[in-house]
Amino acid sequence: MCSIFAILDIQSDAMPLRQVALEMSKLLRHRGPDWSGIYSSDKAILAHERLAIVDIEHGAQPLLSSDETLILAVNGEIYNHKELKAELGDKYSYQTNSDCEVILALYQEYGVDFLDKLNGIFAFVLYDKAQDTYLIGRDHMGIIPLYTGHDTEGNFYIASEMKALMPVCKTVEEFKPGHYLTADGYEQYYQREWQDFYAVKDNEASVDELREALEAAVKRQLMSDVPYGVLLSGGLDSSVISAITQTYAKRRIEDDGATDAWWPQLHSFAVGLEGAPDLAAAQKVADAIGTIHHEITFTFQDGLDAIKDVIYHLETYDVTTIRAATPMYLMARKIKAMGIKMVLSGEGADELFGGYLYFHKAPNAQAFHEELVRKLDKLHLFDCLRANKAMAAWGLEARVPFLDKEFIDTAMRINPEAKMSKDGRIEKHILRKAFEHKLPKEVAWRQKEQFSDGVGYSWIDGLKDHAAQEVDDLQLANAKFRFPYNTPETKEAYFYRCFFEAHFPLPSAAETVPGGKSVACSTPEALAWDASLQGIIDPSGRAVQSVHESAY
């Protein structure tokens, strides 16, 4: 994981802005502690903080084309860079072995019309000195964060995290996933036919095709020149990713398995309160697949003490995200202390297969599929944000194979009827069938637990109790005056919002965070499915009556 910071459309004296860029980029150095770089001219300034994962010796950024007319700063990984380089042939002289440099070659060949060729996770700023123009792009799902802003003189700022814009900008906003931006405005490049229910409703559901597609996605994403591990909560999704990863861990992916892996022992990591359900399940999986397993426990007070820092790093006040991110944040520090720089995680499966328990209430296949599409459209505000920033806070990169662009196409083209939890089928039945042979039966068929629940039910219960002590009834009753946008409806939400406001006081910063009633980050349309979902203001999966075994 890295960070980028840029100033474009420069309207004022560029000389002092270079120092501004250096100082603001320093606020993002947790994302990239390995090296810093900067390009500056009267027209553009691009700064980069690097976490070296691929081409450790030569991949420092900003990257320059051979004639030094194109300048590129990237946060991310391009998994299909070798295929893209082969497609381009000998037309471009590469200066490094960085996977990201292919973006310069593609820009020279296709102009702005190349982004959908990329399979990866990325946010980048490219400045074309010869044309005095720029191109900014973000990956298909918004797995990598990106924000923009303007100062009082009209200078345009771009940063990996909002905290680097707070000291200099008067307004900020999130850059849209699946879009690129030029001086002519936004363009959406990521669009798929499966977004329409009628394009997929008659498709067949192949367990074998699903299995092969996910295995290919995991293999692609093991591209690394540094030690990596897997996050193993003991739930279905992380267990599947861990099991697949173990099958490839002995050989080096970069040369297609021709040589032994540099770090052939796969390490897995689980976090929870003492006695948490996730810890027991994770150990069973680790024993079954043979990882070197690390169980990280935390106390309620450890988590509570970290909340303020978690909100600073995540840049959100969303209750579900903060609950789940805090254990991840604590775990990430321990992982980094072991020398691991990259981890694979299981985010995204619930959005592709309807894994959240409220999907049991879906009235029909069309409603089910359309909620999946809406969930994917919003994932950058929730799970992608959590996985990326909770890890990046300690200089770790999180990769999410379920959200691999090619795998998403495979999963979302499956007939939604085959994904539904009906006729006695448990949620994500097709995914479980595809990988039950790799997992202990009690894990392969374990009921869905939201991560914030699985680390120990007393974590959420304790947060609610603590907030009730910190926020009085009058404060909550008058919350609309202090927080007119996304007014908190619970004391826990109010508690988090106060920390957010202290870190990010701009009104436009609050507008980058989603709001409204939800269960497991559901959309309002899904809450209309069933009377039992109406009026719920606690987003935990345990709030889904008659579905969760420990519903409250």
Side-chain angles (χ1 to χ4, degrees):
M1 205 53 60
C2 305
S3 75
I4 58 177
F5 183 91
I7 310 175
L8 303 172
D9 289 338
I10 294 177
Q11 308 294 313
S12 58
D13 184 358
M15 186 69 71
L17 288 179
R18 185 181 191 276
Q19 190 61 36
V20 169
L22 286 170
E23 291 299 317
M24 295 305 103
S25 186
K26 195 183 300 183
L27 295 175
L28 304 174
R29 193 160 291 166
H30 54 276
R31 296 184 64 86
D34 295 336
W35 194 252
S36 302
I38 190 167
Y39 164 88
S40 64
S41 71
D42 290 341
K43 300 287 189 179
I45 302 172
L46 282 70
H48 189 266
E49 308 292 336
R50 188 184 187 210
L51 180 68
I53 302 288
V54 175
D55 190 18
I56 311 302
E57 294 88 354
H58 308 107
Q61 297 191 37
L63 297 166
L64 275 66
S65 58
S66 56
D67 62 3
E68 299 189 356
T69 61
L70 300 178
I71 302 91
L72 176 69
V74 189
N75 171 196
E77 310 288 346
I78 309 303
Y79 302 128
N80 64 338
H81 68 108
K82 289 184 178 179
E83 294 86 346
L84 292 170
K85 289 175 180 176
E87 176 186 314
L88 291 166
D90 300 326
K91 295 180 181 180
Y92 181 80
S93 176
Y94 294 96
Q95 310 299 299
T96 73
N97 291 319
S98 167
D99 53 292
C100 293
E101 191 179 355
V102 74
I103 292 174
L104 291 174
L106 291 165
Y107 178 78
Q108 289 185 335
E109 181 71 14
Y110 300 108
V112 301
D113 299 322
F114 70 85
L115 278 90
D116 205 23
K117 291 179 175 290
L118 301 175
N119 184 346
I121 55 176
F122 59 83
F124 70 81
V125 175
L126 187 156
Y127 178 64
D128 185 332
K129 184 163 60 173
Q131 303 296 321
D132 187 24
T133 189
Y134 60 80
L135 173 65
I136 306 168
R138 190 179 181 194
D139 67 62
H140 59 299
M141 283 286 112
I143 297 162
I144 300 296
L146 194 62
Y147 297 85
T148 61
H150 284 87
D151 66 15
T152 55
E153 296 179 291
N155 299 310
F156 181 43
Y157 293 78
I158 305 97
S160 293
E161 294 182 3
M162 197 161 52
K163 57 183 63 65
L165 302 178
M166 285 294 109
V168 291
C169 291
K170 290 299 180 183
T171 60
V172 296
E173 62 181 323
E174 188 197 25
F175 191 95
K176 300 175 184 177
H179 283 69
Y180 67 82
L181 179 69
T182 66
D184 296 326
Y186 270 113
E187 290 289 340
Q188 183 176 0
Y189 71 86
Y190 183 67
Q191 300 179 67
R192 292 293 185 269
E193 89 291 341
W194 50 253
Q195 292 170 320
D196 182 358
F197 167 73
Y198 292 98
V200 301
K201 70 180 184 68
D202 296 322
N203 290 352
E204 293 185 9
S206 169
V207 171
D208 292 337
E209 183 182 359
L210 182 69
R211 181 188 308 113
E212 292 167 6
L214 187 57
E215 289 172 346
V218 171
K219 186 177 182 180
R220 269 192 294 276
Q221 298 197 15
L222 290 176
M223 174 184 80
S224 175
D225 293 333
V226 300
Y228 62 82
V230 289
L231 303 186
L232 178 56
S233 72
L236 175 70
D237 310 334
S238 65
S239 298
V240 166
I241 296 300
S242 298
I244 298 172
T245 301
Q246 180 69 307
T247 65
Y248 295 116
K250 302 296 184 187
R251 309 296 292 177
R252 186 153 165 78
I253 296 301
E254 292 67 28
D255 60 13
D256 202 25
T259 60
D260 290 341
W262 292 356
W263 297 276
Q265 296 291 330
L266 181 63
H267 292 250
S268 57
F269 301 89
V271 65
L273 299 171
E274 200 71 48
D278 275 2
L279 295 180
Q283 187 64 60
K284 288 180 182 177
V285 178
D287 291 343
I289 66 177
T291 60
I292 299 174
H293 187 61
H294 306 272
E295 186 175 284
I296 298 166
T297 58
F298 70 103
T299 67
F300 175 77
Q301 191 63 49
D302 291 335
L304 188 62
D305 291 343
I307 289 284
K308 185 175 181 180
D309 289 340
V310 168
I311 292 171
Y312 173 75
H313 281 288
L314 264 72
E315 305 182 321
T316 187
Y317 49 83
D318 175 68
V319 171
T320 302
T321 303
I322 293 167
R323 287 174 173 179
T326 303
M328 288 187 73
Y329 172 86
L330 296 171
M331 174 173 57
R333 191 173 193 178
K334 294 282 187 75
I335 294 173
K336 184 60 182 291
M338 291 188 58
I340 301 288
K341 295 180 76 172
M342 183 271 281
V343 292
L344 271 67
S345 188
E347 275 78 16
D350 292 315
E351 286 73 19
L352 295 171
F353 297 99
Y356 294 108
L357 299 186
Y358 75 87
F359 275 95
H360 283 254
K361 309 286 189 177
N364 54 57
Q366 182 171 356
F368 184 97
H369 183 78
E370 289 174 351
E371 175 70 357
L372 294 184
V373 174
R374 290 190 295 266
K375 292 276 287 183
L376 288 171
D377 285 345
K378 293 180 178 294
L379 199 56
H380 61 102
L381 300 169
F382 299 106
D383 289 19
C384 290
L385 178 148
R386 168 172 55 82
N388 181 277
K389 292 182 181 177
M391 296 288 112
W394 301 108
L396 273 172
E397 176 170 286
R399 298 183 183 175
V400 282
F402 279 112
L403 297 178
D404 178 272
K405 194 165 71 167
E406 290 183 33
F407 180 72
I408 289 176
D409 285 343
T410 298
M412 288 302 291
R413 286 170 180 151
I414 292 173
N415 188 329
E417 283 280 356
K419 299 180 183 180
M420 294 184 71
S421 304
K422 65 178 190 178
D423 300 329
R425 293 200 303 257
I426 192 172
E427 64 276 354
K428 294 183 288 193
H429 183 273
I430 188 171
L431 182 63
R432 297 173 193 272
K433 289 295 292 183
F435 291 99
E436 64 178 339
H437 64 291
K438 286 184 173 289
L439 302 173
K441 182 177 180 180
E442 62 268 36
V443 173
W445 299 98
R446 178 190 178 199
Q447 186 179 55
K448 164 69 183 175
E449 288 278 16
Q450 286 175 222
F451 184 67
S452 52
D453 284 327
V455 298
Y457 293 156
S458 59
W459 167 238
I460 290 179
D461 297 340
L463 286 173
K464 291 160 71 173
D465 291 344
H466 180 80
Q469 296 172 12
E470 293 293 314
V471 180
D472 63 40
D473 293 343
L474 185 60
Q475 285 176 303
L476 185 61
N478 291 326
K480 63 184 177 183
F481 299 109
R482 182 172 179 180
F483 304 116
Y485 182 84
N486 275 351
T487 302
E489 295 191 32
T490 68
K491 291 184 177 181
E492 186 185 1
Y494 189 102
F495 181 63
Y496 300 152
R497 187 66 174 274
C498 292
F499 285 135
F500 181 89
E501 183 187 53
H503 292 314
F504 309 104
L506 290 178
S508 55
E511 294 172 9
T512 66
V513 180
K517 292 183 175 65
S518 76
V519 174
C521 309
S522 64
T523 67
E525 291 89 340
L527 294 182
W529 288 347
D530 190 275
S532 66
L533 299 176
Q534 303 297 310
I536 293 176
I537 58 175
D538 189 306
S540 168
R542 287 187 288 154
V544 183
Q545 296 292 327
S546 75
V547 176
H548 196 287
E549 293 169 358
S550 300
Y552 52 60

